[in-house]
Structure formats: C-alpha cells, structure tokens
C-alpha cells in the first residue's frame, strides 16, 4: 500500500540497505540525521574527535591566557609596589642627603663665621697694640721704650711707627692691610695726602691678593685711595678709580647699598673737579631721591646735595643752585651746628 510499483518498493529496500532515508516514512530532520550518522559513522567519529580536540585546545588556551593575564596583573602590581617602594626610598635618601648637606653647610658657615670673628679680633688687637705701643709710646721721654719726647707731634709719632709695620707683618697680610688703612686715614686727616696714598695703595694690593678684587675691604681701600688722589690734585686718576669702585660696588653690594651711594657722591665730586658738570648733575640727580628716602640723616646725602648744587652752578642753573644750596645749608646747620 505504500508503493505504487514493485520497483519503488525495491528501490526503498536498497536505500535502507545502503543506510539512506527511505521514502515509505515522512523525511523528518531527526530521521534524516540518524540515517546520515549511521551511514557516515567513521567520518563523524573522526570529525567529533577533531572537534573535541579543537574545543579542548581552545579551552586550554583560554585557561592559559586567563592565567597569563592574572600573572601579568600580579607582576604589574608587584612592579608598581616595588617602584613605589623604590621612589619612597629615593625620597628618603634624598631627604637624608639634603639634611646632611644642610648640616654641613651650617657647620661650614659657623666655622667661617668663627674664623672671621677670630680674624677681626686679631686685627683689632694688632691695631690697638700698634697704637698703644708704637704711636702713644712716642710721647714717652726721649729714648725710653720708643719715646720721642713729650713734645712730639702725632704726625711724627705715626711716621716713626711706619718701619715697624714694614717689617713686622710679612706673615700677616690682612693685619698689615688693616694697619695701612688706619695709618692712611690718620695721615689724610693730618693733611699728609701723599703718605696716605702710599698706605692705601699698599692696603689695596694686600686686600686684592688675599680677599679678592671685589671684596668690601678691597673696595673700601680703593675708595680711600681715590680720595687721596683727589687731595693730591690727581683728578684723572681719582676719576678712573672711582668709576671702577662704583661699578664693583653696584655689582657686589647692589644699587641701594650705602657704600654704592657714597661712591656715586665721590664720583660726582671727581666730575666737578674736572668741570664735567652735566655728568656730575646726572649722577647726583639719580642718587639723591633714593638717598633722601633711604639715608635721610646720613652725611653722604648732604654731600650729594652739595655736589648737585655745585653742578647746577657750573651749568648756569643758578636759581636751582641757590634753592638747593639754601636747603642744604639749613640741614648742615641743624646736623653739624
């Protein structure tokens, strides 16, 4: 009843024997699949085995990748922790190094301050001993412990002490320089500008050699030497030295330091001596407003006003000269009497 012909039935039997779907039943997907599996069992088994191997391989690879990712994250974490620890250690070491450096710098500064104090003490003691035993001693009776007689003048007493300085401080150049400065000022006030200049020249040489060309003591000796040149009428030499001193003081001490202003006043004095009134006026006009504010009661401010008034007079600005001169005179009377 299922086949129209015997040949159709025979063909279905052959399909069955061949493991193919027969036509006698509806060809469902499950039926077709079972038939296909039976017919290609060996191939399907091999394919299944290969698929299993592939799946297994993928699973193993995935598992290994996951483990590698975990290991990488763990390694990164360890590396970050190690880097943080190393950074912290470096900061600690840098802090210790800086603290040690600061301590050494403080110790060095303390040592230098102590040495400077000792040098100052030695210089002061040498000057006092010199004044007491070589200058004041000259007033003793003639021939007694360096005495030159009761009527000896101060200038004679100091002149007599000069050889002592020449031979006694060859191994103490800074003390010799300090004594030269003291002697130079003394001779300058006594009107012996030539001898004063000789003392300041020697002091400048010693300070330059042992303190440096821009040390405040060196600059002070240059300033005093220029003043001596001015008293001797060597105005060109005084001008050059005062220009050098001002440049060094501006660089070393700054533009607002008292010594810098004092150098400006002295340089203006040299310009006046050489009748370079415009240069003197320009310098004083630059310095005076600041000096009035920073050094209102300083004698150098009054000297600056004197020089500026003189500059105005040389420039025929007589009204300005009179006005500033009257103001300066009033301040001088109030300050000096």
């Amino acid at each position: 009843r299922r086949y129209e012909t015997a040949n159709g039935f025979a063909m279905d039997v052959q399909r069955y024997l061949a493991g193919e779907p027969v036509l006698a039943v509806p060809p469902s997907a499950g039926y077709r699949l079972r038939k296909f599996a039976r017919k290609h069992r060996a191939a399907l088994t091999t394919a299944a085995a290969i698929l299993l191997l592939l799946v297994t391989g993928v699973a193993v690879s995935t598992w290994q990748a996951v483990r590698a990712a975990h290991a990488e994250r763990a390694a990164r974490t360890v590396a970050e922790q190690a880097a943080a620890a190393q950074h912290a250690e470096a900061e600690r070491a840098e802090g210790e190094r800086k603290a040690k450096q600061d301590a050494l710098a403080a110790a060095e500064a303390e040592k230098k301050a102590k040495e400077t104090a000792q040098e100052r003490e030695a210089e002061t003691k040498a000057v006092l001993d010199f004044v007491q035993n070589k200058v004041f001693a000259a007033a003793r009776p003639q021939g007694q412990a360096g005495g030159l007689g009761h009527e000896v003048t101060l200038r004679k007493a100091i002149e007599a002490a000069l050889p002592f300085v020449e031979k006694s401080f060859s191994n103490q150049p800074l003390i010799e320089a300090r004594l030269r400065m003291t002697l130079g000022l003394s001779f300058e006030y006594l009107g012996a500008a030539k001898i004063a200049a000789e003392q300041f020249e020697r002091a400048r040489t010693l300070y330059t050699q042992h303190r440096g060309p821009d040390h405040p003591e060196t600059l002070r000796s240059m300033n005093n030497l220029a003043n001596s040149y001015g008293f001797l009428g060597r105005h060109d030499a005084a001008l050059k030295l005062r220009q050098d001193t001002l440049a060094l003081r501006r660089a070393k001490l700054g533009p607002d330091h008292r010594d810098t202003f004092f150098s400006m006043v002295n340089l203006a004095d040299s310009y006046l001596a050489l009748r370079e009134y415009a240069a003197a006026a320009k310098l004083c006009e630059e310095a005076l407003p600041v000096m009035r504010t920073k050094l209102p009661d300083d004698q150098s401010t009054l000297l600056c006003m004197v020089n500026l008034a003189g500059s105005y007079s040389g420039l025929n600005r007589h009204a300005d000269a009179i006005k500033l001169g009257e103001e300066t005179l009033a301040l001088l009377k109030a300050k000096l009497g």
Side-chain angles (χ1 to χ4, degrees):
R1 290 193 301 271
R2 296 179 183 175
Y3 305 96
E4 295 180 359
T5 65
N7 185 50
F9 176 48
M11 293 295 291
D12 238 5
V13 171
Q14 287 180 355
R15 292 188 186 96
Y16 175 79
L17 293 175
E20 297 176 357
V22 297
L23 301 178
V25 296
S28 65
Y31 173 72
R32 288 177 178 275
L33 183 59
R34 286 194 300 274
K35 285 296 183 179
F36 181 81
R38 286 174 186 166
K39 182 177 181 179
H40 303 285
R41 180 173 297 175
L44 286 175
T45 301
T46 302
I50 293 173
L51 180 60
L52 179 61
L53 288 174
L54 289 173
V55 172
T56 302
V58 170
V60 171
S61 298
T62 303
W63 175 71
Q64 289 177 340
V66 171
R67 285 193 61 187
H70 283 301
E72 183 180 357
R73 282 198 296 271
R76 188 183 300 115
T77 300
V78 171
E80 290 174 353
Q81 291 175 345
Q86 186 177 8
H87 182 69
E89 176 63 20
E91 286 188 340
R92 184 191 64 79
E94 176 64 18
E96 290 182 353
R97 186 194 66 79
K98 191 175 184 304
K100 183 177 180 181
Q101 190 177 30
D102 292 343
L104 290 174
E108 182 64 23
E110 182 179 358
K111 178 183 177 183
K112 189 173 182 180
K114 185 177 181 180
E115 290 175 350
T116 301
Q118 290 174 343
E119 288 178 0
R120 292 296 186 189
E121 183 179 359
E123 289 177 11
T124 302
K125 183 176 184 300
V127 172
L128 291 175
D129 288 346
F130 174 78
V131 171
Q132 179 178 347
N133 298 320
K134 297 300 176 183
V135 179
F136 290 166
R140 296 168 185 167
Q142 181 78 29
Q144 292 186 17
L148 299 177
H150 297 309
E151 304 302 323
V152 66
T153 64
L154 179 59
R155 176 169 176 168
K156 287 293 184 182
I158 300 176
E159 288 177 347
L162 283 178
F164 173 80
V165 179
E166 295 286 348
K167 65 182 180 181
S168 299
F169 298 100
S170 57
N171 296 326
Q172 298 171 294
L174 294 177
I175 291 179
E176 180 183 347
R178 175 75 178 276
L179 286 172
R180 298 282 186 185
M181 291 283 280
T182 302
L183 289 169
L185 289 171
S186 298
F187 281 116
E188 187 175 283
Y189 285 120
L190 289 170
K194 184 176 184 299
I195 302 177
E198 293 170 354
Q199 303 309 307
F200 292 137
E201 285 172 349
R202 179 58 181 160
R204 180 192 180 187
T205 300
L206 291 171
Y207 279 132
T208 301
Q209 291 175 348
H210 299 281
R211 290 292 196 192
D214 61 349
H215 190 275
E217 294 289 353
T218 307
L219 299 178
R220 192 169 294 114
S221 68
M222 292 170 64
N223 179 79
N224 290 346
L225 179 57
N227 291 343
S228 296
Y229 287 163
F231 292 138
L232 291 170
R234 298 173 57 184
H235 299 301
D236 289 329
L239 175 68
K240 177 64 171 62
L241 192 54
R242 282 169 170 168
Q243 288 172 333
D244 293 343
T245 305
L246 176 58
L248 290 169
R249 277 179 166 170
R250 276 176 170 163
K252 182 71 174 181
L253 305 176
D256 293 338
H257 194 277
R258 181 187 183 277
D259 288 350
T260 302
F261 288 125
F262 204 70
S263 281
M264 295 175 75
V265 174
N266 285 343
L267 180 56
D269 194 59
S270 286
Y271 283 134
L272 283 173
L274 294 169
R275 299 186 178 183
E276 297 183 23
Y277 302 118
K282 180 180 179 182
L283 200 61
C284 290
E285 286 174 343
E286 177 187 350
L288 186 57
V290 185
M291 295 178 73
R292 285 182 186 271
T293 301
K294 293 183 175 293
L295 305 168
D297 297 324
D298 196 277
Q299 189 170 344
S300 61
T301 304
L302 297 175
L303 291 175
C304 186
M305 296 172 69
V306 169
N307 285 344
L308 183 55
S311 301
Y312 288 158
S313 179
L315 292 171
N316 294 322
R317 294 172 55 180
H318 300 301
D320 293 331
I322 290 174
K323 180 181 178 181
L324 185 58
E326 289 175 344
E327 179 186 357
T328 307
L329 178 59
L331 292 172
L332 286 168
K333 286 181 175 178
K335 185 174 181 61
L336 303 178

